[in-house]
Amino acid sequence: MGVLFLFLGSIIYNKRREMNLTQIELANDICTQNTISKIEKHNIAPTVNILIKICLKLNLSLNDVFSDFANKDSDKGESILDKIEKDALMGELTDIDTKLSNLQGKLNDNDMKQYELITGVIDYREGKTDSSLFTLDKVLQLTKSADNDVYTLLAYLFKGLDYLSQNHVDRAQYYFQMISDALKESTDIQNANELEVLFVCKTLAKSYNEMELYKKAYQFSRCGLNYAQEKHISYFLDELNYDAAVASKGFDEKSEKYEDYFNLAYYLAKVNHNEELLTVINH
């Protein structure tokens, strides 16, 4: 029995009791009372569809269910720089310049590639394309463009996004292909954390959909979904399912998978209160 099963059962049991719901009331329109009982007693793990419906009924986000479990080990060694990088990747830029300036003089040579990567990401998000490209080249100098270094791959990713924002599709494809080549063997990159790997997958999936390269988009959305399942983490599951839906329909209009991915994306976006994605889905 995995630790995840225990964790899921405890969270669901505690929240149900807090809301004064019986197992029968929670199970209504979702599954059987027996299934709820087995989940809470740690005998089975729920399917994704059942888990989503349970989360909606209990006002839980998937992060409530997964993130503490998924991040327990990874957070132990998380530095201030790691937290700032996470904010930059997630687009949460409030006070990020102040946080970076507070680190001046406290960084060693090994930290500089991460620091420059963050700076390049911030420039990209603020629309400073030339500055972003210049800074990302500094990252590649520091990593010596080693394709087993996550900062190389993230630099390629944001260089591709910079060029895509300028409609230089051929240049964007060049850098995205560099990542694709590097990840052919494995998504286990020595210095990468789980958020970084999933961010790369979901960003490539979305970008390839925008370029109407649907098979590549599907490849990376599936890569991200498989990785998330393997690692028991919930980052970007709604976006990855949406991109898988768009991609599957893009290369096969009669795709039977489309509706499954689309419905999962919708319910996951609702559970995660992802208003931006819900707006896209509803239109």
Side-chain angles (χ1 to χ4, degrees), residues 158-183:
F158 279 94
K159 280 177 74 75
L161 292 173
D162 277 319
Y163 283 123
L164 198 57
S165 72
Q166 295 182 317
N167 293 318
H168 292 308
V169 176
D170 53 340
R171 295 182 186 182
Q173 277 187 257
Y174 171 80
Y175 285 105
F176 294 159
Q177 186 60 45
M178 300 271 271
I179 302 169
S180 184
D181 291 342
L183 294 180

Side-chain angles (χ1 to χ4, degrees), residues 205-224:
K206 181 179 180 183
S207 299
Y208 277 128
N209 272 332
E210 288 175 9
M211 293 187 285
E212 298 183 1
L213 296 170
Y214 297 116
K215 290 195 174 180
K216 283 185 174 290
Y218 188 74
Q219 172 194 339
F220 278 102
S221 58
R222 282 303 320 164
C223 178

Side-chain angles (χ1 to χ4, degrees), residues 19 50 68 164 167 171 190 197 199 226 228 232 277 283:
M19 294 179 69
I50 287 176
D68 288 344
L164 198 57
N167 293 318
R171 295 182 186 182
Q190 190 171 352
V197 173
F199 183 85
N226 290 338
H232 305 302
L277 182 58
H283 286 82

Side-chain angles (χ1 to χ4, degrees), residues 9-35:
S10 301
I11 291 286
I12 290 165
Y13 172 81
N14 290 336
K15 186 66 174 179
R16 176 179 66 77
R17 294 291 298 272
E18 183 186 311
M19 294 179 69
N20 294 316
L21 290 174
T22 66
Q23 288 183 343
I24 292 173
E25 287 169 331
L26 177 56
N28 188 37
D29 293 330
I30 296 177
C31 56
T32 65
Q33 180 269 331
N34 188 42
T35 298

Side-chain angles (χ1 to χ4, degrees), residues 116 119-125 127-138 158-159 162:
E116 296 291 4
T119 305
V121 173
I122 294 169
D123 285 341
Y124 163 75
R125 295 206 179 280
K128 301 173 184 174
T129 306
D130 288 344
S131 179
S132 177
L133 288 168
F134 177 75
T135 305
L136 294 169
D137 279 335
K138 289 201 287 185
F158 279 94
K159 280 177 74 75
D162 277 319

Side-chain angles (χ1 to χ4, degrees), residues 5-206:
F5 289 18
L6 299 172
F7 190 78
L8 286 170
S10 301
I11 291 286
I12 290 165
Y13 172 81
N14 290 336
K15 186 66 174 179
R16 176 179 66 77
R17 294 291 298 272
E18 183 186 311
M19 294 179 69
N20 294 316
L21 290 174
T22 66
Q23 288 183 343
I24 292 173
E25 287 169 331
L26 177 56
N28 188 37
D29 293 330
I30 296 177
C31 56
T32 65
Q33 180 269 331
N34 188 42
T35 298
I36 296 294
S37 177
K38 285 181 177 178
I39 291 167
E40 292 186 348
K41 289 177 180 175
H42 320 132
N43 291 333
I44 61 169
T47 66
V48 173
N49 285 327
I50 287 176
L51 179 59
I52 290 168
K53 291 175 182 176
I54 289 173
C55 284
L56 285 170
K57 203 160 191 176
L58 295 178
N59 295 323
L60 289 169
S61 73
L62 285 184
N63 284 336
D64 293 327
V65 177
F66 282 120
S67 61
D68 288 344
F69 166 81
N71 296 327
K72 260 175 197 167
D73 293 329
S74 58
D75 280 353
K76 284 178 186 173
E78 191 175 51
S79 67
I80 294 171
L81 207 52
D82 290 332
K83 290 174 182 173
I84 297 172
E85 182 198 331
K86 180 178 178 180
D87 286 343
L89 293 180
M90 302 294 273
E92 297 166 4
L93 303 186
T94 306
D95 297 328
I96 200 164
D97 289 330
T98 304
K99 292 174 186 174
L100 280 178
S101 64
N102 289 338
L103 293 176
Q104 292 289 350
K106 301 176 185 176
L107 302 176
N108 59 40
D109 290 345
N110 195 47
D111 291 329
M112 287 311 298
K113 58 188 177 182
Q114 187 177 13
Y115 177 89
E116 296 291 4
L117 185 278
I118 294 166
T119 305
V121 173
I122 294 169
D123 285 341
Y124 163 75
R125 295 206 179 280
E126 293 179 346
K128 301 173 184 174
T129 306
D130 288 344
S131 179
S132 177
L133 288 168
F134 177 75
T135 305
L136 294 169
D137 279 335
K138 289 201 287 185
V139 176
L140 295 174
Q141 284 183 327
L142 290 164
T143 65
K144 299 181 172 61
S145 297
D147 61 10
N148 62 343
D149 189 318
V150 72
Y151 297 113
T152 296
L153 303 189
L154 286 167
Y156 288 158
L157 183 71
F158 279 94
K159 280 177 74 75
L161 292 173
D162 277 319
Y163 283 123
L164 198 57
S165 72
Q166 295 182 317
N167 293 318
H168 292 308
V169 176
D170 53 340
R171 295 182 186 182
Q173 277 187 257
Y174 171 80
Y175 285 105
F176 294 159
Q177 186 60 45
M178 300 271 271
I179 302 169
S180 184
D181 291 342
L183 294 180
K184 266 180 186 169
E185 298 300 320
S186 173
T187 50
D188 287 329
I189 304 153
Q190 190 171 352
N191 63 330
N193 61 42
E194 291 155 351
L195 172 71
E196 289 167 334
V197 173
L198 283 179
F199 183 85
V200 169
C201 290
K202 76 101 178 177
T203 304
L204 284 176
K206 181 179 180 183

